Amino acid sequence: MDQPDLTPLEHVRARIAHAATIAGRKAEDVELIAISKTHPPEQILPLIEQGQRVFGENRVQEAQGKWPALIEAHPDVKLHLVGQLQSNKAEDAVALFDCIHSLDRPSLVSALGKAMDKAGKQVPCFVQVNIGAEEQKGGCPIADVPALLASAREAGIPVVGLMCVPPADIEAAPFFALLAKIAADNGLDQLSMGMSGDFETAVMLGATHVRVGSALFGARD
């Protein structure tokens, strides 16, 4: 996959396509989310100009500072929230984002349900699963996923799939496979998994959304 003449975006897309082919999947069934957190508009614009239309941010406040003008200029751009969401930011998140990947606890179900009702806007959500049972990480414990899904559906939140961030410095494949099994067991077919270091593995194991930052933008300062 060493193709030196490609832009970083073209290179990542080629790697996604290659991994999809190996898995007997179509590249277009995998949504590339360009993770633009900490990057200013002048670094984001070249990707928009190259045709990238889905971006991800970690923090509501940072996204509010830079995305409204970009979206006004490029109304077909979609913005996903991939970082932890505080319940008191639920209304702001519903107003700005097209998808939320970090629904992980009952208090956030309540806050998002109310925010969506108030705004009259349904924002698709992924339930974030603490797939490695790591105390320092957000995410719903595996055993609590069915109950959280039930309460989210009761609150009228459109849950479309599951998301995870596997433990660092350990083979990600078993965690991706486990997330896929939990999703299938709960009747969900979308999987937000895989980042710059492991997105090809994630694609081979069924990812429908990969969240790629440094492979597109370079290492952060």
Side-chain angles (χ1 to χ4, degrees):
M1 294 305 294
D2 190 25
Q3 295 167 282
D5 296 335
L6 299 182
T7 66
L9 177 60
E10 289 168 335
H11 187 54
V12 167
R13 284 182 174 165
R15 288 168 64 190
I16 288 171
H18 182 64
T21 300
I22 290 170
R25 303 180 65 203
K26 295 177 183 169
E28 55 264 33
D29 293 337
V30 183
E31 185 83 78
L32 170 61
I33 304 168
I35 304 301
S36 49
K37 66 178 184 182
T38 76
H39 295 295
E42 55 267 26
Q43 286 182 301
I44 296 168
L45 271 169
L47 264 72
I48 295 177
E49 285 160 5
Q50 290 170 57
Q52 178 62 23
R53 284 297 177 268
V54 185
F55 291 84
E57 289 284 337
N58 264 40
R59 294 209 289 273
V60 174
Q61 208 164 343
E62 183 188 340
Q64 285 173 318
K66 67 188 182 188
W67 275 102
L70 284 168
I71 290 168
E72 191 177 352
H74 307 275
D76 57 339
V77 163
K78 302 293 182 194
L79 195 58
H80 290 222
L81 179 66
V82 299
Q84 292 301 115
L85 176 59
Q86 296 170 301
S87 294
N88 65 356
K89 296 279 186 191
E91 285 191 20
D92 290 339
V94 166
L96 181 58
F97 290 93
D98 297 288
C99 186
I100 293 168
H101 290 242
S102 46
L103 179 57
D104 64 353
R105 59 195 187 277
S107 59
L108 189 53
V109 166
S110 175
L112 281 172
K114 288 173 186 167
M116 289 184 199
D117 282 347
K118 184 174 174 183
K121 179 184 176 187
Q122 296 290 100
V123 179
C125 291
F126 287 80
V127 165
Q128 181 175 349
V129 181
N130 188 346
I131 203 73
E134 298 174 273
E135 284 181 18
Q136 78 279 16
K137 264 190 191 159
C140 176
I142 291 170
D144 296 349
V145 169
L148 191 71
L149 285 170
S151 64
R153 287 165 177 154
E154 201 173 302
I157 296 171
V159 177
V160 295
L162 301 181
M163 179 269 233
C164 76
V165 181
D169 305 319
I170 183 171
E171 174 54 49
F175 298 101
F176 293 154
L178 178 57
L179 192 76
K181 182 185 184 304
I182 298 166
D185 289 347
N186 287 280
L188 295 166
D189 59 6
Q190 295 191 40
L191 296 167
S192 170
M193 59 189 197
M195 299 189 287
S196 286
D198 54 23
F199 66 84
E200 287 147 306
T201 301
V203 169
M204 288 186 224
L205 289 166
T208 57
H209 297 70
V210 292
R211 312 180 305 270
V212 179
S214 55
L216 292 171
F217 290 98
R220 289 187 181 83
D221 295 333

